[in-house]
Tab-separated table of all heavy atoms in Angstrom:
chain	number	residue	atom	x	y	z
A	69	VAL	N	1.959	22.414	-21.114
A	69	VAL	CA	1.021	21.723	-20.215
A	69	VAL	C	1.003	20.227	-20.475
A	69	VAL	O	1.381	19.753	-21.539
A	69	VAL	CB	-0.435	22.230	-20.361
A	69	VAL	CG1	-0.553	23.654	-19.891
A	69	VAL	CG2	-0.952	22.042	-21.772
A	85	GLU	N	-4.817	19.722	-21.566
A	85	GLU	CA	-4.936	20.298	-22.910
A	85	GLU	C	-6.222	21.109	-23.076
A	85	GLU	O	-6.292	22.018	-23.904
A	85	GLU	CB	-4.891	19.193	-23.971
A	85	GLU	CG	-3.548	18.485	-24.079
A	85	GLU	CD	-3.290	17.459	-22.970
A	85	GLU	OE1	-4.230	17.133	-22.213
A	85	GLU	OE2	-2.139	16.993	-22.849
A	86	GLN	N	-7.247	20.767	-22.267
A	86	GLN	CA	-8.488	21.543	-22.350
A	86	GLN	C	-8.233	23.004	-21.985
A	86	GLN	O	-8.904	23.906	-22.478
A	86	GLN	CB	-9.549	20.961	-21.399
A	86	GLN	CG	-10.130	19.649	-21.887
A	86	GLN	CD	-10.865	18.902	-20.775
A	86	GLN	OE1	-10.662	19.152	-19.589
A	86	GLN	NE2	-11.725	17.973	-21.171
A	88	LEU	N	-5.534	24.694	-22.662
A	88	LEU	CA	-4.935	25.332	-23.831
A	88	LEU	C	-6.001	25.665	-24.875
A	88	LEU	O	-6.063	26.769	-25.412
A	88	LEU	CB	-3.912	24.352	-24.409
A	88	LEU	CG	-2.901	24.866	-25.398
A	88	LEU	CD1	-2.204	26.087	-24.846
A	88	LEU	CD2	-1.886	23.766	-25.698
A	89	LEU	N	-6.871	24.681	-25.137
A	89	LEU	CA	-7.920	24.899	-26.141
A	89	LEU	C	-8.887	25.974	-25.662
A	89	LEU	O	-9.318	26.831	-26.441
A	89	LEU	CB	-8.663	23.590	-26.422
A	89	LEU	CG	-7.790	22.441	-26.961
A	89	LEU	CD1	-8.634	21.220	-27.306
A	89	LEU	CD2	-6.975	22.868	-28.177
A	92	ARG	N	-7.206	29.425	-26.103
A	92	ARG	CA	-7.183	29.842	-27.506
A	92	ARG	C	-8.568	30.317	-27.941
A	92	ARG	O	-8.720	31.363	-28.570
A	92	ARG	CB	-6.734	28.673	-28.390
A	92	ARG	CG	-5.268	28.285	-28.206
A	92	ARG	CD	-4.957	26.973	-28.900
A	92	ARG	NE	-3.531	26.628	-28.801
A	92	ARG	CZ	-3.018	25.472	-29.207
A	92	ARG	NH1	-3.806	24.539	-29.749
A	92	ARG	NH2	-1.725	25.231	-29.098
A	100	ASN	N	-2.569	30.970	-35.753
A	100	ASN	CA	-1.368	30.432	-35.123
A	100	ASN	C	-0.213	30.507	-36.118
A	100	ASN	O	-0.273	29.924	-37.199
A	100	ASN	CB	-1.643	28.984	-34.692
A	100	ASN	CG	-0.494	28.341	-33.945
A	100	ASN	OD1	-0.120	27.203	-34.222
A	100	ASN	ND2	0.072	29.033	-32.976
A	102	ARG	N	3.687	29.744	-36.952
A	102	ARG	CA	4.826	28.930	-36.541
A	102	ARG	C	5.946	29.064	-37.566
A	102	ARG	O	5.972	28.343	-38.567
A	102	ARG	CB	4.394	27.469	-36.372
A	102	ARG	CG	3.323	27.334	-35.295
A	102	ARG	CD	2.923	25.923	-34.959
A	102	ARG	NE	2.224	25.892	-33.673
A	102	ARG	CZ	1.758	24.810	-33.080
A	102	ARG	NH1	1.916	23.634	-33.644
A	102	ARG	NH2	1.148	24.890	-31.918
A	130	ARG	N	-1.564	28.322	-39.128
A	130	ARG	CA	-2.511	27.273	-38.758
A	130	ARG	C	-3.788	27.891	-38.184
A	130	ARG	O	-3.719	28.688	-37.246
A	130	ARG	CB	-1.833	26.363	-37.720
A	130	ARG	CG	-2.758	25.408	-37.013
A	130	ARG	CD	-2.034	24.670	-35.874
A	130	ARG	NE	-2.975	23.840	-35.136
A	130	ARG	CZ	-2.723	23.284	-33.952
A	130	ARG	NH1	-1.549	23.477	-33.372
A	130	ARG	NH2	-3.625	22.556	-33.335
A	132	LEU	N	-6.708	28.019	-35.710
A	132	LEU	CA	-6.532	27.494	-34.356
A	132	LEU	C	-7.806	27.376	-33.520
A	132	LEU	O	-7.768	26.820	-32.427
A	132	LEU	CB	-5.521	28.386	-33.615
A	132	LEU	CG	-4.777	27.782	-32.438
A	132	LEU	CD1	-3.959	26.564	-32.840
A	132	LEU	CD2	-3.872	28.816	-31.779
A	137	TYR	N	-11.029	20.022	-33.908
A	137	TYR	CA	-10.698	20.252	-32.499
A	137	TYR	C	-11.910	20.746	-31.713
A	137	TYR	O	-12.008	20.498	-30.519
A	137	TYR	CB	-9.595	21.308	-32.370
A	137	TYR	CG	-8.190	20.784	-32.447
A	137	TYR	CD1	-7.754	20.063	-33.551
A	137	TYR	CD2	-7.290	21.023	-31.410
A	137	TYR	CE1	-6.453	19.598	-33.619
A	137	TYR	CE2	-5.984	20.569	-31.478
A	137	TYR	CZ	-5.573	19.854	-32.581
A	137	TYR	OH	-4.280	19.398	-32.644
A	232	ASN	N	-6.821	23.468	-38.641
A	232	ASN	CA	-6.308	23.195	-37.302
A	232	ASN	C	-5.502	21.900	-37.176
A	232	ASN	O	-4.328	21.924	-36.800
A	232	ASN	CB	-7.501	23.211	-36.331
A	232	ASN	CG	-7.087	23.556	-34.909
A	232	ASN	OD1	-5.918	23.492	-34.570
A	232	ASN	ND2	-8.044	23.916	-34.092
A	235	GLY	N	-2.439	21.502	-39.498
A	235	GLY	CA	-1.381	22.415	-39.055
A	235	GLY	C	-0.649	21.876	-37.840
A	235	GLY	O	0.564	22.058	-37.691
A	236	ASP	N	-1.381	21.206	-36.958
A	236	ASP	CA	-0.763	20.603	-35.782
A	236	ASP	C	0.271	19.570	-36.216
A	236	ASP	O	1.410	19.561	-35.750
A	236	ASP	CB	-1.862	19.943	-34.927
A	236	ASP	CG	-1.276	19.240	-33.718
A	236	ASP	OD1	-0.420	19.836	-33.043
A	236	ASP	OD2	-1.677	18.088	-33.459
A	239	SER	N	3.274	21.049	-38.425
A	239	SER	CA	4.261	21.888	-37.743
A	239	SER	C	5.241	21.060	-36.928
A	239	SER	O	6.405	21.423	-36.807
A	239	SER	CB	3.611	23.006	-36.926
A	239	SER	OG	2.697	22.502	-36.009
A	240	ASP	N	4.810	19.922	-36.377
A	240	ASP	CA	5.784	19.041	-35.707
A	240	ASP	C	6.762	18.475	-36.735
A	240	ASP	O	7.962	18.377	-36.486
A	240	ASP	CB	5.084	17.859	-35.012
A	240	ASP	CG	4.779	18.139	-33.542
A	240	ASP	OD1	4.465	19.305	-33.223
A	240	ASP	OD2	4.841	17.204	-32.728
A	254	SER	N	5.942	29.790	-31.198
A	254	SER	CA	4.699	30.086	-31.905
A	254	SER	C	3.988	31.284	-31.304
A	254	SER	O	4.184	31.622	-30.137
A	254	SER	CB	3.770	28.866	-31.908
A	254	SER	OG	3.022	28.800	-30.719
A	273	GLU	N	3.888	30.743	-27.134
A	273	GLU	CA	4.299	29.484	-26.500
A	273	GLU	C	5.197	28.694	-27.427
A	273	GLU	O	5.067	28.781	-28.650
A	273	GLU	CB	3.056	28.641	-26.147
A	273	GLU	CG	2.140	28.423	-27.338
A	273	GLU	CD	0.955	27.475	-27.096
A	273	GLU	OE1	1.148	26.454	-26.433
A	273	GLU	OE2	-0.137	27.770	-27.621
A	274	PRO	N	6.109	27.899	-26.852
A	274	PRO	CA	6.888	27.002	-27.698
A	274	PRO	C	5.993	25.916	-28.279
A	274	PRO	O	4.955	25.596	-27.695
A	274	PRO	CB	7.921	26.394	-26.743
A	274	PRO	CG	7.513	26.749	-25.368
A	274	PRO	CD	6.466	27.803	-25.429
A	275	VAL	N	6.384	25.348	-29.414
A	275	VAL	CA	5.575	24.294	-30.037
A	275	VAL	C	5.724	22.972	-29.268
A	275	VAL	O	4.809	22.157	-29.224
A	275	VAL	CB	5.986	24.112	-31.527
A	275	VAL	CG1	5.307	22.897	-32.148
A	275	VAL	CG2	5.632	25.368	-32.316
B	1	IPM	C1	0.169	22.176	-30.222
B	1	IPM	C2	-0.193	21.032	-29.305
B	1	IPM	C3	-1.657	21.155	-28.894
B	1	IPM	C4	-2.504	21.106	-30.154
B	1	IPM	C5	-2.137	20.109	-27.875
B	1	IPM	C6	-1.264	20.112	-26.627
B	1	IPM	C7	-3.581	20.290	-27.531
B	1	IPM	O1	0.079	19.816	-29.909
B	1	IPM	O2	0.040	23.344	-29.809
B	1	IPM	O3	0.598	21.918	-31.344
B	1	IPM	O4	-2.842	20.009	-30.625
B	1	IPM	O5	-2.849	22.168	-30.675
Side-chain angles (χ1 to χ4, degrees):
V69 293
E85 293 77 11
Q86 287 164 341
L88 195 52
L89 300 184
R92 291 169 177 173
N100 184 226
R102 299 186 163 181
R130 168 187 175 193
L132 203 60
Y137 273 57
N232 205 344
D236 177 46
S239 56
D240 266 35
S254 84
E273 53 174 319
V275 172

